[in-house]
Amino acid sequence: MFARCIFCHAQLPENQSLEHLRRGRKVAFDPERGRLWTICAACSRWNLAPIEERWEALEELEWLSTDRARLLSRTDNIALLRAEDLEVVRVGRAGLTEEAWWRYGRDLLRRRKQSYLLQGAEVAAMVVAAVASGGALVGWAGQGVFVEIARWRRFGRVAIRGRSECPRCGSLSMEVKFRHADRLLLVPGGEHGEVALLHTCSRCGSRPESGHLLAGVQAERVLRRILAYRHFHGASEGRIRAATSAIEHAGSVEALTRRVAEQRLPLGALRKKRRTEAIALEIAVNDEVERRLLRLELAELERRWREEEEIAAIADRELSFAPGLDRLLGRTREGGEGAPTG
C-alpha cells in the first residue's frame, strides 16, 4: 500500500487497527465492488489501493465494521464509522435495527457492566468495613451507594435550571432536580417528530394552560440528560434488541419519538411501565442530534465517493486482465453476506 498520498505526497500515518492495511487513519471500502481507498488527511483525496493488495484488507474491514466499530452516521449510500484509531467509510447501507445497535447498544451494555463493577466494589468495601467494625456497617450493603456517587459526579443533582415563563401566572423561575424529573410530561413539540417537555408550575399548580414548556433544542438537551441519568445502569442485550426492534417497527427514529410523545406520559410512567420504549426513546433523541452534527461531513463524503467510484471503475476495468481479480471480488462478496448491505 502507498506510504504517501499519490496526489499531494503527504505522509499517510500508520494505524494500529488493521493488520493488512497499515497506512491511513481514514479509509473507505466497498465490499460489493471490491474497492478500497486510503483517504489523505492533508488533501482529502482518495487513494485507490492496488487490486492485489485489497482482499485481505477488505475482509478485515468488513469484520471490523460489523463487530467492533461504532456507527456515527450514514446516508442512503455510505456509513461513517469509528473503530479505535480508525475512521471508516463503508459503502452500502445498514439496516435500521443494525444501525441503532452499532450506535448505542454497546454503550448501554458498557453502562450495565460498569454498574455491576461498582456494585461489586461496594460489596467488597462492605465486607472489609464489616470485618473491621465487627459487622456494624453491614446495613448499607446492596444500597447502590457507589453507583449513586458515580451518577452524581457525572450529572450533578439538577436536571433543569433556567428561566421560563408560565403562560398562566407569569412565573419565571424554574429548577427541576433529577429526583423530581419523573413528573415532567413528554408531549409533541412540532411537525417533524420533535418532542417538548411540560413542567408543572410551582406557583399556580396543575391548572389548565399552566406550566413551563420546554421545546426545541432545550427540550432535546434536557431529555437526553434525564434519560441518560435514569438509564445509568444500562440495559441488557435483550432489552436493547427489543428497543431497536421498536424503532424498526415504527419505521424511523422520528416516527418512534413522535409516537411516544403523542401518548403524553410523565417520564416516570414511561420509565417504570414502558422501559423498552424509554430505552428506544434515548436511542432516538441521541440519533437525531448526531445526524445534525454529521450531516455536512457526510454530504461531502458522499460527493467525493461518487467521484472516486467513477475513477475506480475505470481503473479496475483497465486492469481486469489481472490474475485473481474475479476471485477477489467473489471473496469479498462472500465475506459480506453476514454483514449489513445496501
Side-chain angles (χ1 to χ4, degrees):
M1 187 61 194
F2 306 113
R4 292 182 176 272
C5 174
I6 63 176
F7 300 98
C8 71
H9 305 292
Q11 186 81 20
L12 296 173
E14 292 190 355
N15 67 75
Q16 303 298 319
S17 301
L18 297 173
E19 179 182 353
H20 298 97
L21 183 64
R22 285 297 186 184
R23 291 288 179 174
R25 295 287 181 85
K26 189 170 185 176
V27 299
F29 76 109
D30 183 343
E32 179 66 22
R33 296 183 177 88
R35 314 269 201 253
L36 176 63
W37 299 268
T38 298
I39 303 175
C40 176
C43 68
S44 299
R45 295 298 300 271
W46 293 30
N47 297 266
L48 183 65
I51 289 177
E52 63 273 13
E53 297 183 13
R54 292 183 200 171
W55 74 269
E56 294 94 344
L58 284 169
E59 290 180 346
E60 191 176 9
L61 276 166
E62 186 71 344
W63 169 79
L64 181 73
S65 64
T66 302
D67 293 343
R68 291 167 54 194
R70 182 172 69 92
L71 186 65
L72 301 177
S73 192
R74 64 137 173 90
T75 67
D76 287 346
N77 299 299
I78 63 173
L80 181 62
L81 308 102
R82 172 77 67 182
E84 299 171 359
D85 64 338
L86 200 65
E87 196 168 342
V88 180
V89 179
R90 185 190 189 281
V91 178
R93 183 173 181 177
L96 184 60
T97 299
E98 292 164 315
E99 177 185 339
W101 174 258
W102 273 350
R103 283 173 179 268
Y104 310 108
R106 291 167 186 164
D107 180 59
L108 287 163
L109 286 176
R110 179 190 58 77
R111 293 186 214 170
R112 188 177 179 85
K113 181 179 180 181
Q114 176 183 307
S115 177
Y116 284 148
L117 289 174
L118 288 171
Q119 291 174 27
E122 181 178 334
V123 171
M126 176 272 298
V127 172
V128 172
V131 171
S133 62
L137 299 178
V138 175
W140 57 268
Q143 299 299 313
V145 175
F146 282 20
V147 173
E148 289 305 312
I149 291 174
R151 182 157 61 176
W152 171 76
R153 291 187 62 184
R154 179 175 178 182
F155 296 101
R157 298 190 183 280
V158 178
I160 312 170
R161 180 184 287 116
R163 295 173 65 84
S164 174
E165 183 175 358
C166 173
R168 183 177 181 86
C169 68
S171 174
L172 291 176
S173 63
M174 180 179 62
E175 179 177 291
V176 180
K177 295 182 178 180
F178 279 111
R179 68 171 181 266
H180 299 141
D182 283 351
R183 303 173 188 173
L184 291 170
L185 192 67
L186 185 67
V187 298
E191 298 179 356
H192 304 289
E194 298 94 340
V195 297
L197 292 171
L198 184 63
H199 171 52
T200 301
C201 179
S202 58
R203 177 183 295 178
C204 61
S206 57
R207 300 173 185 174
E209 300 181 359
S210 70
H212 301 274
L213 184 67
L214 305 179
V217 175
Q218 185 184 21
E220 190 177 68
R221 182 172 61 249
V222 170
L223 183 59
R224 289 175 69 201
R225 274 176 52 79
I226 292 172
L227 290 172
Y229 179 89
R230 291 305 185 196
H231 300 152
F232 188 77
H233 296 273
S236 66
E237 182 171 347
R239 180 78 69 179
I240 298 166
R241 294 290 185 188
T244 55
S245 295
I247 297 174
E248 183 77 32
H249 181 73
S252 67
V253 291
E254 294 85 358
L256 185 280
T257 303
R258 183 169 56 251
R259 188 181 71 183
V260 174
E262 287 173 350
Q263 300 172 30
R264 302 181 69 88
L265 292 171
L267 293 183
L270 181 67
R271 177 175 64 90
K272 295 175 182 177
K273 299 179 180 179
R274 304 188 181 184
R275 181 165 171 77
T276 297
E277 283 189 304
I279 295 291
L281 182 63
E282 181 180 354
I283 292 173
V285 293
N286 281 285
D287 181 273
E288 180 57 30
V289 172
E290 290 191 4
R291 283 180 187 278
R292 286 202 301 267
L293 294 175
L294 292 166
R295 196 167 291 147
L296 293 177
E297 181 178 357
L298 279 173
E300 174 61 23
L301 281 172
E302 183 161 356
R303 183 188 67 81
R304 184 57 60 88
W305 162 69
R306 292 184 185 279
E307 295 175 355
E308 297 298 334
E309 169 56 28
E310 292 178 4
I311 297 172
I314 294 172
D316 283 355
R317 280 199 299 269
E318 292 294 327
L319 297 174
S320 59
F321 62 88
L325 176 60
D326 292 338
R327 179 177 61 86
L328 163 66
L329 297 178
R331 289 196 63 170
T332 54
R333 291 190 184 107
E334 290 172 6
E337 285 179 359
T341 58

